Amino acid sequence: MSETTTDDIEMPAITGRVLDESDPETIVDPTDAAERRNLYRVGAILTVVGVIAAGIGLAPMLVMGARVVIFLIGLIALYMGVRRIGLARFGSDFDLTFILSCVWLTVLIAAAILAPLLPLAEHEDTTKTLSAKSYASPSLFSSHPLGTNNFGLDMLARSIYGARSSLIVAVAAVLIGMIVGGAIGILAGYFGGKIDRVIGVLTNSLLAVPALILLIALASVLEPNLRNISLALAILAIPSMVRIARANTLVFSQREFVLAARAMGATKWRVMLREIAPNVALPLASLGMVMISVMIVAEASLSFLGLGIQQPSPTWGNMISEGQGNVFEQHPYIVLVPGLFLFLTVFSFNMVGEKAQKRTGGTREVKL
C-alpha cells in the first residue's frame, strides 16, 4: 500500500474566516440578501406613501369623491408596502391577507359582543333620535363617524349591532348543520347498505330544491326571529355536512386504529363516537368556516327581501334595503357602509376557511 502524505491531500483555501453554519452570513445566498434589501426598501417607500395618502383622504380638505379615491390609493399602497416588508422579514409563508382577515374578524366579533358597553349612539329606538339630523353625512371625527339613516339612527352602531344578528344566525346554523349533518353522514358511511342509500336519496332531494326558494318558503311560514331563521338556514347546511362526513367516514373506517378498536371488541357506537367522530370533526369545522360566510349572505338576502329580522332591529340586509329607490343616489353611504361590513366579513371567513381546509386536507363542497 502506498503511503498518503500531506502533499497528496487537497486542503481547502484559507480565507481568514472560520465557516460557521449557525452564522446567517455564511449560508445566505447573496442574491437572496440583495432581493431582501430591495423588498425592505420598496416596502418602506410604499408604506410611507400609503400612510400619507390615507391621511390626506381622511382629512376634510377635499371634496368627498377625491378623498375616497386618495384614501383607497393609500390603502392599496400601504397593503403592498407592508406585504413586501413581511415577505422580506418572514419569507414566502407570510400571508398578509390572512392576517388582516383574522384581525378584522377578531375586532368585529369583540365589538359585537361588547356592543352594549361601547360608547355608541342610538341604533334602534327612533323616539330617542327625534331631534337628530336625518341622513347626516359620514364624518370621521364627529359623533356619527359613518353618518345616520333617515331616522337619525347611527350607522356605525347599527352596523355593529347588525353584526351580532348576522353572526349569531350564521354560527348557530352552521353548528346545527355540523352536529346533525355530521351524525347522519357518519351513520351513512359506517353502516352503508340501505341506510346509506336512504340518506343519499334524502340528501340529493334536498339539494335538488333551489336554495333560495326553499329558504323563502321556510321564512314565509316561520316567525322572523333569530331562532327560526337559524333553523331554516341549518336545513340548507345539513346536506353538505352529510356528504363531507360520509366521505371521511368511508376513509377512516378502514384505518388501522378503527380496525384495532373493532378487534378489541369495541361496539359500533363506541367506534363511531370515540374513533371516527373526532377525526371527521376537523374537515367539518374547516368547511363550517366557509359556510358561515354563505349563511351570512343568505341571512342578509332574507332581511333585504323583508323576510328576515324586521326593522328597526338592524341587520346588514335590512340596512342595505334602506337604500332602495332614490336614496342610494342621494346618500350612497346608506348602502356602502353595511355593504362594506358584509363584504369584509364574508371575505375574511372565506380566507380563514380556505386556510383551514388546506391545513386539514379538507375538501371545499358548499352548495347553497
Side-chain angles (χ1 to χ4, degrees):
M1 296 178 61
S2 60
E3 295 182 0
T4 302
T5 63
T6 57
D7 295 336
D8 299 327
I9 301 177
E10 186 175 354
M11 300 295 292
I14 299 176
T15 61
R17 179 178 178 180
V18 179
L19 295 179
D20 182 6
E21 293 182 356
S22 63
D23 186 355
E25 294 184 8
T26 65
I27 60 177
V28 173
D29 188 355
T31 305
D32 294 339
E35 183 179 355
R36 188 179 298 114
R37 288 194 296 270
N38 183 61
L39 286 173
Y40 273 124
R41 181 170 57 254
V42 176
I45 294 173
L46 288 174
T47 301
V48 173
V49 171
V51 171
I52 295 174
I56 294 174
L58 293 176
M61 297 184 299
L62 304 173
V63 296
M64 180 60 69
R67 289 170 55 189
V68 172
V69 172
I70 295 175
F71 181 74
L72 291 178
I73 294 175
L75 288 183
I76 295 173
L78 184 60
Y79 173 85
M80 295 173 63
V82 174
R83 181 176 179 273
R84 281 171 169 77
I85 294 175
L87 290 174
R89 177 64 180 85
F90 301 103
S92 59
D93 293 334
F94 179 76
D95 191 348
L96 180 59
T97 305
F98 173 74
I99 295 174
L100 292 177
S101 298
C102 293
V103 171
W104 169 259
L105 292 179
T106 301
V107 172
L108 181 69
I109 293 172
I113 294 174
L114 302 175
L117 304 178
L118 298 177
L120 298 173
E122 182 56 41
H123 70 283
E124 184 176 5
D125 191 354
T126 57
T127 61
K128 297 180 180 180
T129 59
L130 295 176
S131 60
K133 181 181 179 181
S134 300
Y135 293 123
S137 300
S139 179
L140 185 62
F141 303 103
S142 68
S143 57
H144 302 290
L146 298 182
T148 61
N149 67 356
N150 58 325
F151 293 110
L153 298 173
D154 185 66
M155 293 294 292
L156 175 60
R158 287 177 63 79
S159 298
I160 292 177
Y161 276 92
R164 302 182 80 184
S165 302
S166 298
L167 292 175
I168 289 174
V169 168
V171 173
V174 170
L175 287 178
I176 295 173
M178 287 177 58
I179 296 172
V180 177
I184 296 174
I186 292 174
L187 289 174
Y190 189 80
F191 288 104
K194 293 182 179 180
I195 296 178
D196 188 18
R197 287 194 294 271
V198 171
I199 292 176
V201 170
L202 294 176
T203 301
N204 292 329
S205 300
L206 194 57
L207 289 173
V209 180
L212 185 59
I213 301 299
L214 178 60
L215 195 58
I216 292 175
L218 292 173
S220 299
V221 299
L222 297 175
E223 183 181 351
N225 54 43
L226 293 178
R227 181 190 62 187
N228 292 337
I229 295 175
S230 299
L231 292 176
L233 293 177
I235 295 177
L236 300 182
I238 288 176
S240 296
M241 295 295 183
V242 170
R243 288 190 168 189
I244 295 297
R246 177 185 177 276
N248 283 274
T249 300
L250 292 174
V251 174
F252 287 113
S253 61
Q254 303 301 321
R255 299 288 292 272
E256 293 80 2
F257 60 91
V258 174
L259 298 177
R262 291 176 182 173
M264 295 174 63
T267 63
K268 294 181 179 180
W269 297 105
R270 180 179 176 84
V271 171
M272 287 188 291
L273 290 175
R274 299 294 296 274
E275 307 296 337
I276 296 179
N279 291 283
V280 173
L282 285 177
L284 288 180
S286 62
L287 177 65
M289 292 295 295
V290 177
M291 292 195 70
I292 288 177
S293 63
V294 179
M295 296 302 164
I296 290 176
V297 174
E299 185 276 330
S301 301
L302 283 179
S303 297
F304 180 83
L305 296 173
L307 300 174
I309 305 300
Q310 303 296 309
Q311 295 276 15
S313 298
T315 66
W316 292 331
N318 62 30
M319 290 176 65
I320 294 175
S321 68
E322 294 178 0
Q324 297 183 66
N326 297 326
V327 175
F328 177 70
E329 297 178 1
Q330 300 175 0
H331 310 285
Y333 67 90
I334 293 295
V335 174
L336 295 179
V337 169
L340 184 62
F341 272 82
L342 178 62
F343 168 77
L344 292 177
T345 305
V346 170
F347 179 83
S348 298
F349 272 115
N350 275 327
M351 287 298 302
V352 174
E354 289 178 0
K355 181 75 72 171
Q357 286 181 334
K358 291 179 181 179
R359 293 291 180 88
T360 60
T363 302
R364 179 170 181 171
E365 183 179 339
V366 181
K367 184 177 180 180
L368 291 180

